[in-house]
Each structure stands twice: as structure tokens, then as C-alpha cells.
Amino acid sequence: MTWLNVKEAKEEAPRPPSDITVFGANCTLHGLSHIFLPGGVTIRRLLWAAAFSSSLSIFLYQVADRVIEYYRYPHVTILDEMDSPVMYFPAITICNYNSYRKSQIRRNDIFWMAGLLGVEQGDFDDFMAALGQPTDNSKFFPSKTFNMLEFVQRTSHNIDEMLLDCKYRGKDCGPENFTTVSMSFLGFWL
């Protein structure tokens, strides 16, 4: 091999890619892998560079605009007040998270609802004692069926007991102004 052949071999050997080319090829930022490729400049690369630069410029402009707007501390203090001669009773929701009144739960309810109430079968007597009801199990015979609607209506809280005082526009109001809606069934299935 002559000196000339060695020089030609060195010139023909591919050059290693530059750091920016390696970065662009491995970067997940959209568009960079199409811009920084080994080789010369092409129309395709110029178009990708223009699209990437314009997208980045628009993004940075929007970020700067929102930051400037945030530090202006804008606020609106417009208040529209309207006087109405007739005002209807407003919609009010009163929720009692204690779904059932313990004083209304019977041994038959515990028999059928033990799993939902979190009572083990061996703990029936203790649960009944905690409710203040007799623990005598000898005379207890469970019913053959169980009516969940009757249970909810009997054991749920009544608006008459929960509403202590109500006044609207200077006039007394009471349970008759409220509509009772029971969501207890949903609680079991959610």
C-alpha cells in the first residue's frame, strides 16, 4: 500500500456524526430528528427547521403572554344587582351522612343486612345491646323476605327531626317546604 492509497482510504472513511446530529437523532422533541441528519443541507431539512422554529416561537410567545398577564393581577369587580318582587324558596340540600337511625333498626334488619352494616353473625347480641334493644335471641325468627324500601323508609332520618328552625324572607318555613329524596339505595351499589 502506498502513501497515496492510505490518504485516499482516510478520505473515503465516513466521518463520525457530530454531537448535534447524535442529539437530534435520539431526541423525542418533534421535528429535531428530521432537521439534524448526517449529510448536507436539503430543502426538506430547511422546511422542517422553519416549521420547528415557528412552532417553538408561537409556543414561547404564548407562555410569555400568559406569564405577563398573570403578573398583572387582573380582577373584575362588576356586580349586577337585580331586585325581584317575587322570590321562590331556594333549592337547599340537607344531607345526613348517618344513613340509618340505630333506634329504628330491628333484629330482623340485622339478620338480612349484617354484611352491609358490617355486623358478623356472632356479634348480633352485642350490636343489639349497643342499640339499646333486648338481646334475647330465643324468640327471634327471621322473616322469609326482606323489603329494602320499607327498611330505608323506616330507618332513614326524617326532615321533621332534622329541621330545627327555618325562616325565609322573615317568614317561618317548615318540613312542608322541603321534598325528601332518599339516595340510600345508591350508597349500597357505588
Side-chain angles (χ1 to χ4, degrees):
M1 198 178 233
T2 64
W3 178 78
L4 188 57
N5 290 343
V6 171
K7 186 177 178 185
E8 286 177 7
K10 285 184 181 177
E11 287 178 5
E12 289 178 9
R15 295 186 324 198
S18 66
D19 290 340
I20 191 76
T21 305
V22 172
F23 172 76
N26 296 320
C27 183
T28 59
L29 190 61
H30 297 293
L32 282 185
S33 62
H34 297 287
I35 298 170
F36 297 107
L37 296 171
V41 176
T42 63
I43 297 288
R44 182 174 185 257
R45 283 191 207 169
L46 289 175
L47 290 174
W48 271 105
F52 179 80
S53 299
S54 60
S55 298
L56 183 63
S57 300
I58 291 169
F59 169 71
L60 293 176
Y61 172 77
Q62 288 178 344
V63 168
D65 180 55
R66 292 297 91 200
V67 169
I68 290 168
E69 182 69 19
Y70 174 76
Y71 282 112
R72 284 188 193 157
Y73 302 109
H75 58 279
V76 178
T77 56
I78 297 172
L79 177 64
D80 292 334
E81 188 175 322
M82 295 172 37
D83 196 19
S84 176
V86 177
M87 196 117 164
Y88 298 105
F89 192 76
I92 299 172
T93 303
I94 301 173
C95 296
N96 191 334
Y97 288 110
N98 298 320
S99 301
Y100 309 111
R101 293 180 290 171
K102 288 184 179 180
S103 62
Q104 298 299 315
I105 295 178
R106 300 179 189 144
R107 182 173 284 277
N108 190 57
D109 300 331
I110 296 171
F111 177 81
W112 287 98
M113 300 280 296
L116 295 174
L117 294 173
V119 180
E120 296 292 327
Q121 198 167 18
D123 298 332
F124 281 12
D125 290 336
D126 295 336
F127 192 75
M128 294 304 289
L131 296 177
Q133 296 186 14
T135 59
D136 183 22
N137 198 18
S138 63
K139 298 177 184 175
F140 172 68
F141 295 102
S143 65
K144 293 183 180 182
T145 60
F146 182 75
N147 186 335
M148 185 67 176
L149 179 61
E150 186 271 327
F151 171 77
V152 170
Q153 290 173 342
R154 179 173 37 84
T155 60
S156 62
H157 294 274
N158 297 325
I159 189 71
D160 300 334
E161 297 169 357
M162 290 194 303
L163 188 64
L164 302 178
D165 187 33
C166 179
K167 290 191 185 303
Y168 178 69
R169 300 193 83 173
K171 296 180 181 175
D172 287 337
C173 54
E176 65 276 357
N177 298 108
F178 292 86
T179 303
T180 303
V181 177
S182 177
M183 301 302 282
S184 297
F185 289 116
L186 294 177
F188 288 125
W189 309 116
L190 294 179

